[in-house]
Amino acid sequence: MRRTKALLIGINYKPTSNSSFLSWDQLSGSHRDVRNMWKFLSQAEWTYDQVIMLTDETDATKVYRDNIIAHLEWLVKDCQPGDLLLLHYSGHGYQRPTRSPTEDDGFDETIVPADCPYPPPRPGSDEDCPVGCKCPKEDKHCWRPTYSTMIRDNELRSILVDKLPEKARLV
């Protein structure tokens, strides 16, 4: 029997009282996107047995890195041939420098969880802090905390695509 599961993620990046001065630009439509996708799925000719919606509408921790990854793993858990899975993401993305040989352009594409700190400006430079930078740990201009919180395309592939059995579909 074919199982259907959907994970809908929407992050508006609402400022909080403990936010740093710099933050990701607040978005206004991510929650609406998730609600519209849920409405579409509930009215479609086929139905999804399980749908989880994660937003920062009432609790930003729902769209923190660790929780998003746990739900990505839920999406593919016990997946069988013929299962249909859907992932919808509405939020910021980013390209971060990488040395990975899988990236011809030298950049990983990422999604940006709500707990990802905004990259600090580097004095005298418009450039990102390079991968493998030699910044001291206390350097407030280092981008390592930002990079480590993003969810990279290679991670998404490892969690989602590599674990799919043949004839299961992820859209």
Side-chain angles (χ1 to χ4, degrees), residues 13-24 60 64 114 116-118:
Y13 307 90
K14 296 189 320 183
T16 62
S17 58
N18 62 352
S19 294
S20 61
F21 176 71
L22 292 174
S23 62
W24 296 98
Y64 278 13
C116 182
Y118 189 79

Side-chain angles (χ1 to χ4, degrees), residues 28-147:
S28 61
S30 298
H31 301 160
R32 180 185 62 244
D33 293 346
V34 165
R35 284 191 298 274
N36 286 342
M37 182 58 78
W38 179 85
K39 184 177 177 182
F40 169 76
L41 292 176
S42 66
Q43 295 174 351
E45 182 176 314
W46 66 95
T47 59
Y48 278 77
D49 301 322
Q50 300 174 62
V51 178
I52 292 181
M53 296 189 301
L54 301 177
T55 72
D56 58 347
E57 199 161 15
T58 60
D59 180 3
T61 63
K62 289 181 179 180
V63 286
Y64 278 13
R65 176 188 167 82
D66 290 345
N67 197 48
I68 291 174
I69 289 186
H71 281 86
L72 292 170
E73 290 169 345
W74 163 85
L75 186 62
V76 297
K77 184 178 180 183
D78 301 323
C79 185
Q80 300 295 318
D83 287 356
L84 178 61
L85 312 175
L86 182 134
L87 172 63
H88 169 88
Y89 174 77
S90 183
H92 282 299
Y94 195 79
Q95 286 190 304
R96 65 164 265 191
T98 184
R99 291 189 186 132
S100 172
T102 63
E103 302 292 344
D104 291 338
D105 65 356
F107 290 94
D108 274 323
E109 287 66 41
T110 70
I111 63 174
V112 179
D115 59 336
C116 182
Y118 189 79
R122 298 187 68 220
S125 175
D126 291 338
E127 302 275 324
D128 295 1
C129 197
V131 171
C133 68
K134 305 292 186 215
C135 300
K137 286 187 180 186
E138 65 278 355
D139 185 346
K140 63 183 180 185
H141 301 291
C142 184
W143 285 35
R144 261 181 295 192
T146 299
Y147 291 155

Side-chain angles (χ1 to χ4, degrees), residues 100 102-103 108-109 152-159 162:
S100 172
T102 63
E103 302 292 344
D108 274 323
E109 287 66 41
R152 298 181 333 271
D153 53 0
N154 295 350
E155 288 178 276
L156 292 169
R157 180 181 179 91
S158 174
I159 294 167
D162 292 347

